[in-house]
Amino acid sequence: AQKVTQAQTEISVVEKEDVTLDCVYETRDTTYYLFWYKQPPSGELVFLIRRNSFDEQIEISGRYSWNFQKSTSSFNFTITASQVVDSAVYFCALRDSWGKFQFGAGTQVVVTP
Amino acid sequence: EPEVTQTPSHQVTQMGQEVILRCVPISNHLYFYWYRQILGQKVEFLVSFYNNEISEKSEIFDDQFSVERPDGSNFTLKIRSTKLEDSAMYFCASEPGQDPYEQYFGPGTRLTVT
């Protein structure tokens, strides 16, 4: 069975602070895919990134960075120099090779000016 | 820029009625999904669809649910006999099936069962 744990329910920061969101997953599959999604207050779901199980690395894209480590089954997400527009719920998700998803409970990020 | 569309944006129905939620995925995409989000809760995977058949479904996707791609463009989710607990936001998504594996989401349909 697959499981995704986002232990942080809410993180509050002041603008320009860095925010790291934790995601720990469980799966027996050797091939799987990890995702991060953003859901702003307006409600739409925005895809941020997908990583394959064999693509372990740290990646940086603008103010976002991701740290995928199979040894600890973690796929953490960092927002550098946070902005008010980053306020949203962030979901981590795991997909098996057949297309079945398991989402984490989400982490609410609140960025205040 | 291509986008996934969903209709209607809001559907109100009485318990026991059938509803059909419609989605138009991006035209050259190969994978299609339905997700559900009960208000204030996490996103739940319902079903994935590839090559005109269901590739995976969750425990939520029981016999009262069905999906179809009737005409090569629309992708529908049918709930045969709605229950109060089916009230949620339903999101459709599509994916090209090749690099970059970006998922595109529709804006969602809010289903209210009374």
Side-chain angles (χ1 to χ4, degrees), chain B residues 6-25:
Chain B
Q6 289 186 244
T7 54
S9 56
H10 189 192
Q11 173 93 47
V12 181
T13 190
Q14 288 192 323
M15 199 167 56
Q17 296 295 305
E18 175 183 286
V19 293
I20 297 176
L21 309 183
R22 290 184 167 79
C23 169
V24 180

Side-chain angles (χ1 to χ4, degrees), chain B residues 14-76:
Chain B
Q14 288 192 323
M15 199 167 56
Q17 296 295 305
E18 175 183 286
V19 293
I20 297 176
L21 309 183
R22 290 184 167 79
C23 169
V24 180
I26 294 171
S27 61
N28 59 347
H29 282 190
L30 302 179
Y31 285 86
F32 313 107
Y33 304 88
W34 282 103
Y35 300 91
R36 179 179 85 174
Q37 187 178 32
I38 295 169
L39 187 63
Q41 297 187 22
K42 70 176 182 181
V43 178
E44 297 173 296
F45 165 76
L46 291 177
V47 65
S48 58
F49 194 85
Y50 171 72
N51 202 25
N52 281 321
E53 60 183 26
I54 291 174
S55 55
E56 270 292 350
K57 60 183 181 179
S58 72
E59 298 75 23
I60 301 167
F61 195 88
D62 60 22
D63 291 344
Q64 70 157 348
F65 291 94
S66 61
V67 289
E68 220 179 19
R69 192 159 155 79
D71 55 12
S73 60
N74 289 286
F75 180 49
T76 61

Side-chain angles (χ1 to χ4, degrees), chain B residues 91-112:
Chain B
F91 291 100
C92 171
S94 71
E95 194 183 289
Q98 58 189 5
D99 202 18
Y101 290 94
E102 185 166 340
Q103 275 197 334
Y104 293 77
F105 282 86
T109 292
R110 179 162 297 286
L111 176 65
T112 302

Side-chain angles (χ1 to χ4, degrees), chain A residues 10-57:
Chain A
E10 181 170 326
I11 300 176
S12 294
V13 296
V14 176
E15 214 170 12
K16 296 184 184 173
E17 288 183 341
D18 296 348
V19 181
T20 295
L21 309 181
D22 298 332
C23 175
V24 174
Y25 63 92
E26 292 176 30
T27 180
R28 292 180 185 168
D29 292 343
T30 54
T31 299
Y32 53 90
Y33 307 88
L34 295 163
F35 294 73
W36 275 99
Y37 300 88
K38 175 182 178 180
Q39 188 172 42
S42 49
E44 74 269 25
L45 275 169
V46 179
F47 166 88
L48 294 177
I49 192 170
R50 160 184 162 144
R51 275 296 165 262
N52 305 331
S53 52
F54 44 86
D55 203 8
E56 190 174 4
Q57 62 181 324

